[in-house]
Amino acid sequence: MNDWAPIAKEYDPLKAGSIDGTDEEPHDRAIWRAMLARYVPNKGVTGDPHLTLFVARLNLQTTEEKLKEVFSRYGDIRKIRLVRDLVTGFSKGYAFIEYKEERALLKAHRDANRLVIDQHEIFVDFELERTLKGWIPRRLGGGFGGKKESGQLRFGGRDRPFRKPINLPTMKNDFFGEGSAEKRNWSREGTRDWRTRDRDHERSREKRWPERERSWAWGESERERDSKEDRSRGRERKDRDRKDRDRDRSRERDTKKQRDDDKHR
């Protein structure tokens, strides 16, 4: 717990697949693929990775000119690379923007995230392919993205950081001071919460006790009284239905008798 952080300092596919980074077994096939992958970053990519931003969730109609217009307000841009499909030439919805100064990079990282460009809310983060050790891209089962519907959620990034693990104390025989010292090493806050919870429980019992006594004084519990009311309502409903049926039958008999009289006339 001492070295725990919500953002991953080193990429581990098994940890990235866990909501708090504590999983010991992969829960989907993509994690297995990422663990078995031997990925080497693209050596053809140029530029300083420590001055480069990753911009995702772009509108497919967004162009380099639009990105330059928006991101140049944070500082001088050295290069913009909008990733496109090799066959169709259409945008894939993400880009890399390299700044000339670190100050501009940090300002854009802070202010441009969740910015709306061409009716799309974008996501901005630092480039991780060349800066995060052990990085595995999404297409090989890694990354920090994913959707709940696909069952391949990834954690540890800016968009979905790790949740803090919950460490529950061992309760066996610890009330009597038994067990190892490590097991008895509870925090004072936890002890106070436990005592407060018990005290609140006792107070609520004291509040409920007069109500129970009143119900016992009348000779029946609330459950019995409710069941009796339900039975009486059921009998009333049956009686009402029986009266309605008798009324309908009498009307049918009167109608039939009237038709017979008319026929004999």
Side-chain angles (χ1 to χ4, degrees):
M1 286 296 293
N2 294 330
D3 58 350
W4 180 90
I7 305 296
K9 301 176 182 178
E10 183 175 331
Y11 192 80
D12 184 351
L14 184 58
K15 290 183 178 180
S18 170
I19 193 170
D20 55 3
T22 58
D23 279 7
E24 298 180 356
E25 291 291 336
H27 67 274
D28 62 48
R29 299 183 200 173
I31 295 179
W32 280 113
R33 288 196 294 116
M35 293 173 64
L36 298 175
R38 295 294 177 263
Y39 177 72
V40 178
N42 187 1
K43 296 181 179 180
V45 178
T46 59
D48 189 350
H50 298 284
L51 293 177
T52 304
L53 281 182
F54 170 69
V55 183
R57 301 172 189 169
L58 293 171
N59 190 324
L60 299 182
Q61 306 302 321
T62 302
T63 61
E64 289 89 344
E65 290 75 16
K66 182 67 175 180
L67 291 175
K68 185 176 182 180
E69 176 188 346
V70 173
F71 283 89
S72 60
R73 69 182 68 166
Y74 304 109
D76 295 333
I77 295 176
R78 181 172 293 163
K79 185 175 63 175
I80 295 179
R81 181 167 65 94
L82 179 63
V83 180
R84 296 179 178 274
D85 188 272
L86 293 175
V87 178
T88 63
F90 295 150
S91 170
K92 286 190 173 183
Y94 63 96
F96 295 92
I97 300 176
E98 182 184 357
Y99 281 94
K100 293 182 180 180
E101 298 178 353
E102 185 179 4
R103 181 175 58 183
L105 174 86
L106 297 176
K107 188 176 181 182
H109 180 267
R110 183 191 64 204
D111 298 339
N113 190 42
R114 297 183 179 274
L115 196 67
V116 176
I117 301 177
D118 294 336
Q119 293 81 44
H120 275 226
E121 186 179 88
I122 66 171
F123 170 71
V124 178
D125 198 1
F126 299 119
E127 182 189 344
L128 300 175
E129 181 178 9
R130 294 179 290 169
T131 58
L132 190 64
K133 184 180 178 181
W135 174 254
I136 303 294
R138 180 69 186 164
R139 66 176 184 272
L140 297 179
F144 285 131
K147 294 183 179 180
K148 186 176 181 180
E149 295 77 13
S150 66
Q152 294 185 14
L153 287 173
R154 297 292 178 265
F155 303 89
R158 183 185 189 185
D159 189 38
R160 196 179 290 113
F162 289 128
R163 293 185 184 178
K164 197 167 185 179
I166 301 174
N167 291 337
L168 297 177
T170 305
M171 304 297 291
K172 184 177 180 181
N173 295 333
D174 286 346
F175 289 113
F176 305 99
E178 300 177 8
S180 62
E182 291 81 3
K183 292 182 179 180
R184 295 198 307 270
N185 190 18
W186 291 359
S187 65
R188 293 182 178 179
E189 294 181 358
T191 308
R192 194 184 306 117
D193 293 341
W194 166 67
R195 290 174 179 172
T196 304
R197 186 174 64 250
D198 285 355
R199 188 162 56 248
D200 294 340
H201 181 65
E202 291 294 333
R203 289 175 181 172
S204 63
R205 286 181 58 187
E206 292 175 359
K207 290 180 181 179
R208 292 196 301 268
W209 187 254
E211 297 178 359
R212 292 184 180 179
E213 287 184 343
R214 282 198 299 270
S215 64
W216 291 342
W218 286 99
E220 58 182 5
S221 64
E222 294 182 0
R223 186 179 301 175
E224 292 176 353
R225 189 161 56 250
D226 293 340
S227 62
K228 287 184 178 180
E229 291 178 358
D230 293 338
R231 285 197 295 270
S232 64
R233 290 196 196 98
R235 283 195 295 270
E236 292 176 358
R237 192 181 301 110
K238 289 181 180 179
D239 294 339
R240 196 182 307 115
D241 294 340
R242 190 182 303 111
K243 290 179 181 179
D244 293 339
R245 287 197 298 269
D246 295 340
R247 191 183 304 110
D248 293 338
R249 288 171 184 165
S250 64
R251 288 177 181 174
E252 290 177 0
R253 284 197 297 269
D254 294 340
T255 305
K256 186 176 180 181
K257 185 178 179 181
Q258 184 67 29
R259 283 201 301 268
D260 294 340
D261 294 341
D262 295 341
K263 189 183 296 182
H264 290 304
R265 289 176 187 174

